[in-house]
Amino acid sequence: MPFSARYIHYIKSHCASQRRILSILVKTFFGTFLLCGIWASRPASAQVTAPSQSAGIADKSLDARVDSILRRMTLAEKIGQLVQYSAGQPTGPGTGRSDYDDMIARGQIGSLFNVNDPHEINKYQKIAMEKSRLHIPILFGLDVIHGFKTEFPIPLGLASTWDPTIVEKASRVAAMEAAADGIRWTFSPMVDIARDARWGRMAEGAGEDPFLGSAMAAAYVRGYQGSRLDAPDSIAACAKHYVGYGAAEAGRDYNSTEISEHKLRQFYMPPFHAAVEAGTASLMSAFNSLNGIPSSANPFTLKQVLRREWGYRGLVVSDWNAVGELIPHGIANDGATAARKAFLAGVDMDMVSSLYHDHLEQIVKSGQATQAEVDEAVRHVLRVKLALGLFEHPYVDEGAAAKALYHPESIALAQTAAERSFVLLKNTNGTGGKPLLPLAGGSQNIVVIGPLGDDSSYPGGAPPGSGPRVSLVAALAQRVGESHVSRFKGVGILDGTDQEIADAVAGAQKADVVILTLGEAPEMSGEAASRAHLGLPGRQKELLEAVVRTGKPVVLILFSGRPLTVPWAFEHVPAVIAAWLPGIAGGPALARTLFGDVNPSGKLVVSWPRAVGQEPLYYNHLNTGRPAGDMDLTRPPSDVASRYLSRYIDEQNTPQFPFGYGDSYTTYSYGGTIISTPRLSAATLNKRLGSGEDVAPPMTAEAEVTNTGSRPGEEVVQLYIQLTGTSVAEPVRMLKGFQSISIAPGETTKVKFELKPDAFAIWNNRNQFTVEAAKLNVWISPDSAQGSPAKAEILP
Ligand code: BGC
């Protein structure tokens, strides 16, 4: 299934190399700054760029050109610009249409997607440029999600790096490869907040936090769009799915959502706003209904917030057939009504449903929508096409496409990204009381057991065999010699026999160390892949237990698009790594990690549940009126004091591993959090809200972090705050900053954060973004569950 848009794991990209050469490095984001340290990397061919404001959709000089084209268009031609079809592998129910050549010649199609062959792209484009009356180029789109052909870790893995720079570089590479193929529009990034691991699309986003999600959203947009959208290697981004899609009830894909305006603005909208601020050329309206109104027919989110409040000038495309789905949603009884409702709500382009093509002309002629409204929607489309330089350069150089793929530096970046995406969940019980990982070099015999070891890049996306990829087994063999690596599948993802398990156990018995590669097949996360059970699928748990019973040292590598509930493993397996779906260079990246060439530094961007019944599970929850506090929840309640609390009687409240957590081969100790002032003034902060980076920070917070182990390490230092006494209950903690620092053994680094006025503002009980008088806790900590806060007050 290469290049189809249905699934997150089918697009790959290439990119540029990045080598870390100094021991202290810094990444800063938003209001957070590390004041000591240097970020050093070798110049990369994929340059990290400033936001694409010049020649982007915000470029006012495009308006005159847009209007001059508009003046020449008939109503039918205008509507044509608002129509999009999938001309390749379908990724949802289709219309059955295939007469695209004729439609393009008549000016009835503005965009096509799922066409991946440059020759075919040029064929369609030639019709648009030569046969259509106004020669308006077609905009070709595709789900380029974690790379085009050089495939990076899935977005959940990329986010686990906590490194917007690497996300930007990866997206730049994806853009270069896709653009060389003729694709100038990606339906990415997915910036939906995901709090429920049952929802398979958690794999496609940056997790549960709006601050980190905003950082990642902006990084993707900058990477795809480059410094100029009209550069030949830039592509238009599409922030999706606007909005609230990740809150699907019960984690079931496409399900309804009920989200208060407060929650929507505080948690679900910020990453979209960040994408808009970064200049995203497009946004996709979501499938889900939001408080009873489908997101693809919601004037509040699409017009009031997006256009009026945020001043967005780009294009809004519906999700796949989302206009048609207004009928099953129950707010339209026929296609004409569905088209009218979506259009009037602010959906500019109709993906696939064909209902704009079928009905919009009549809707305008009957006065239900105005010509001016059509003009405005068409402006959004033309602005993107002009900003991309498509009118000047409509065709792709068919000979150049292949040359852009799989550059060595792109593979190297994919490997770095994979290495930094792994989260070491547990590391205990090696010989001599030392942790099992990293493995000692030398001539030990390794056995790789499990369904996912042969082509560990496959769980990242592309089918085995595509692109230059090395499996985990091959990477280990390269490292320790083939004769020292044996291989047993043990079981399949969903099936397996007693004999296969017995063979694997026999193999384990002969080895010095076992690498167990278990988890989900690629198609078990992503779209339409909700799960009601979050454990290991099929007979994998049996295999796990049988192998562990051999008493051999076992390293479990979990491949998945979500956290998996495997409490038995966390209790009995000495070392566990969450590898997500690591992409084209996953094999070598894992081998290097196992042997300690790299020290794991990834941290969780989602709370890892103990049991599926805890979902939705997220760190930034409210306290409730009956918080369990320090109560021991490992036992059932035994009296009134332990019962009438917000708790389960059969499971703890806390996650298996909290948001922000990730172990390392070294250890760190954190000094106390020191803040620059114990008092702030809400009135003063409100005057300075939104005044940007130049404003002197009203508060700084710092802490010393020491590498107390014996290896150099990279630590993601996190800053959280809590506000109490506000008009609306606020979360127990909210991330407001993060920095990665590299620290040598024995070294202490002072990490300093600046908190700008916005950090203290909340969406209050009147849904105004404002700072209120409050008590304030500030933590600098290694994850969302540790540390003691510094205390301050915000006076009125
Ligand atoms: C997905 C989108 C995707 C679109 C086009 C839909 O089913 O929800 O994320 O961009 O298909 O492939």
Side-chain angles (χ1 to χ4, degrees):
M1 51 174 184
F3 314 129
S4 86
R6 179 71 335 200
Y7 196 58
I8 131 174
H9 314 308
Y10 37 120
I11 311 293
K12 20 247 96 57
S13 98
H14 102 164
C15 74
S17 76
Q18 169 190 296
R19 298 272 147 80
R20 271 145 227 280
I21 51 172
L22 285 189
S23 66
I24 299 177
L25 58 83
V26 179
K27 282 138 270 167
T28 61
F29 194 75
F30 283 2
T32 70
F33 295 86
L34 178 66
L35 298 186
C36 45
I38 307 160
W39 160 259
S41 70
R42 215 173 58 175
S45 65
Q47 294 300 320
V48 177
T49 56
S52 57
Q53 293 303 334
S54 72
I57 51 157
D59 188 341
K60 291 263 184 343
S61 71
L62 297 176
D63 294 354
R65 288 186 69 193
V66 167
D67 283 330
S68 102
I69 300 168
L70 257 180
R71 278 193 292 275
R72 286 181 285 137
M73 296 173 83
T74 63
L75 176 60
E77 284 165 337
K78 289 175 184 171
I79 291 167
Q81 289 304 306
L82 310 180
V83 172
Q84 183 191 49
Y85 296 105
S86 164
Q89 179 173 333
T91 62
T95 53
R97 289 201 92 103
S98 58
D99 52 340
Y100 302 130
D101 291 8
D102 295 341
M103 291 185 80
I104 295 170
R106 288 195 293 268
Q108 290 173 324
I109 292 181
S111 169
L112 286 175
F113 67 112
N114 289 340
V115 192
N116 311 302
D117 175 3
H119 181 68
E120 215 185 329
I121 285 177
N122 278 344
K123 182 203 85 176
Y124 284 125
Q125 197 67 293
K126 196 165 188 304
I127 302 173
M129 300 312 291
E130 293 182 6
K131 296 210 177 138
S132 76
R133 192 179 72 90
L134 292 174
H135 319 296
I136 299 175
I138 299 282
L139 175 55
F140 291 93
L142 187 71
D143 290 285
V144 180
I145 292 177
H146 47 115
F148 180 60
K149 292 217 179 173
T150 301
E151 173 204 5
F152 289 86
I154 55 169
L156 190 65
L158 281 177
S160 303
T161 65
W162 290 63
D163 185 351
T165 307
I166 215 159
V167 168
E168 182 174 341
K169 287 183 175 180
S171 313
R172 189 86 286 275
V173 168
M176 293 193 306
E177 285 192 354
D181 202 75
I183 292 148
R184 298 298 307 282
W185 186 16
T186 175
F187 307 126
S188 171
M190 187 194 98
V191 303
D192 295 311
I193 295 297
R195 296 171 153 190
D196 191 331
R198 290 172 295 183
W199 191 54
R201 302 200 82 167
M202 172 179 272
E204 293 182 63
E208 70 193 36
D209 183 72
F211 185 86
L212 181 66
S214 297
M216 294 303 174
Y220 278 106
V221 172
R222 289 195 303 269
Y224 290 135
Q225 299 194 167
S227 55
R228 292 188 65 90
L229 205 43
D230 59 357
D233 59 357
S234 286
I235 61 178
C238 182
K240 70 188 188 183
H241 308 84
Y242 190 69
V243 55
Y245 182 37
E249 280 180 7
R252 207 181 72 220
D253 209 0
Y254 317 122
N255 206 359
S256 319
T257 67
E258 291 286 327
I259 310 172
S260 70
E261 185 179 336
H262 171 261
K263 212 178 192 183
L264 197 62
R265 288 184 181 273
Q266 180 150 342
F267 295 99
Y268 290 91
M269 282 180 165
F272 287 95
H273 193 201
V276 166
E277 293 281 295
T280 186
S282 72
L283 240 93
M284 185 182 289
S285 66
F287 287 130
N288 58 294
S289 71
L290 171 65
N291 306 328
I293 303 179
S295 290
S296 291
N298 192 328
F300 171 68
T301 56
L302 291 168
K303 288 214 157 146
Q304 171 58 29
V305 176
L306 183 62
R307 299 287 181 194
R308 288 184 207 117
E309 294 181 24
W310 298 352
Y312 179 61
R313 304 191 81 213
L315 159 65
V316 173
V317 62
S318 79
D319 203 342
W320 181 288
N321 194 38
V323 177
E325 289 172 19
L326 299 183
I327 299 173
H329 266 299
I331 67 155
N333 286 330
D334 51 61
T337 309
R340 174 173 55 79
K341 288 199 168 182
F343 180 73
L344 292 179
V347 173
D348 300 317
M349 185 180 276
D350 169 14
M351 182 187 280
V352 167
S353 89
S354 213
L355 294 178
Y356 282 14
H357 170 78
D358 294 344
H359 302 290
L360 205 46
E361 192 161 351
Q362 188 52 35
I363 289 167
V364 175
K365 285 186 174 154
S366 63
Q368 296 174 78
T370 62
Q371 281 271 6
E373 284 166 323
V374 173
D375 286 357
E376 192 53 21
V378 176
R379 270 189 196 101
H380 300 149
V381 178
L382 292 179
R383 194 176 289 134
V384 173
K385 291 185 175 183
L386 283 164
L388 282 165
L390 272 182
F391 284 81
E392 293 78 14
H393 304 286
Y395 298 108
V396 56
D397 174 355
E398 292 173 30
K403 292 185 207 135
L405 309 180
Y406 304 126
H407 289 178
E409 62 269 32
S410 307
I411 308 278
L413 182 61
Q415 182 172 317
T416 303
E419 287 165 1
R420 295 167 60 81
S421 75
F422 302 144
V423 181
L424 181 64
L425 296 173
K426 184 182 174 193
N427 190 19
T428 56
N429 289 1
T431 45
K434 281 184 20 202
L436 177 55
L437 291 175
L439 301 176
S443 58
Q444 54 184 330
N445 290 319
I446 299 174
V447 60
V448 181
I449 297 176
L452 292 160
D454 288 317
D455 189 342
S456 61
S457 54
Y458 177 49
S466 52
R469 53 190 64 226
V470 181
S471 75
L472 173 59
V473 174
L476 290 171
Q478 275 171 15
R479 177 149 197 136
V480 296
E482 277 193 26
S483 59
H484 290 291
V485 179
S486 54
R487 167 80 185 122
F488 293 87
K489 194 171 107 187
V491 294
I493 301 281
L494 292 170
D495 53 12
T497 63
D498 292 350
Q499 188 56 51
E500 283 175 307
I501 295 177
D503 291 347
V505 167
Q509 265 147 354
K510 288 193 210 115
D512 299 312
V513 61
V514 182
I515 311 293
L516 260 179
T517 55
L518 306 180
E520 297 178 323
E523 63 275 14
M524 295 181 77
S525 64
E527 189 178 353
S530 295
R531 293 186 65 199
H533 305 278
L534 294 178
L536 288 168
R539 299 189 67 183
Q540 294 185 62
K541 183 156 182 275
E542 279 175 69
L543 174 70
L544 164 77
E545 292 180 8
V547 169
V548 170
R549 273 198 299 273
T550 62
K552 294 288 177 178
V554 174
V555 180
L556 170 61
I557 301 177
L558 289 172
F559 294 91
S560 61
R562 52 160 68 83
L564 299 176
T565 53
V566 284
W568 191 92
F570 295 127
E571 209 177 312
H572 296 96
V573 181
V576 187
I577 297 173
W580 315 114
L581 304 174
I584 193 164
L590 276 167
R592 279 166 48 79
T593 303
L594 289 172
F595 282 97
D597 301 342
V598 282
N599 188 353
S601 60
K603 298 225 182 188
L604 294 177
V605 296
V606 287
S607 302
W608 193 292
R610 296 172 191 275
V612 70
Q614 294 180 305
E615 296 289 355
L617 183 67
Y618 47 97
Y619 85 95
N620 44 9
H621 59 83
L622 302 185
N623 202 33
T624 81
R626 292 190 180 188
D630 295 332
M631 184 69 64
D632 176 6
L633 304 185
T634 57
R635 277 174 266 190
S638 53
D639 54 18
V640 169
S642 61
R643 170 169 285 268
Y644 292 97
L645 298 170
S646 177
R647 63 168 295 178
Y648 302 100
I649 58 170
D650 56 359
E651 186 50 275
Q652 302 177 59
N653 287 359
T654 53
Q656 186 90 53
F657 303 105
F659 173 87
Y661 169 80
D663 204 350
S664 158
Y665 295 158
T666 190
T667 48
Y668 304 101
S669 81
Y670 278 61
T673 302
I674 297 164
I675 50 178
S676 57
T677 173
R679 247 162 259 108
L680 294 166
S681 148
T684 311
L685 292 176
N686 277 323
K687 276 194 216 118
R688 296 168 61 189
L689 266 191
S691 30
E693 291 295 324
D694 321 332
V695 174
M699 180 184 275
T700 59
E702 59 184 52
E704 288 189 340
V705 180
T706 305
N707 182 341
T708 49
S710 54
R711 289 174 167 266
E714 189 171 326
E715 169 72 344
V716 180
V717 182
Q718 299 155 45
L719 174 90
Y720 295 91
I721 71 162
Q722 180 193 22
L723 295 163
T724 58
T726 40
S727 63
V728 175
E730 285 296 300
V732 294
R733 283 207 199 194
M734 291 180 288
L735 183 74
K736 293 291 174 181
F738 59 89
Q739 301 173 20
S740 289
I741 51 166
S742 284
I743 328 182
E747 192 186 342
T748 296
T749 299
K750 191 176 280 181
V751 183
K752 186 166 177 177
F753 293 87
E754 294 185 345
L755 285 152
K756 297 281 165 76
D758 294 25
F760 306 102
I762 60 166
W763 289 95
N764 71 9
N765 57 350
R766 280 164 293 149
N767 284 314
Q768 292 160 339
F769 190 62
T770 186
V771 182
E772 294 186 342
K775 290 234 160 96
L776 171 68
N777 284 327
V778 182
W779 293 260
I780 294 177
S781 53
D783 61 45
S784 62
Q786 294 188 57
S788 326
K791 294 192 175 293
E793 200 171 359
I794 305 177
L795 301 168

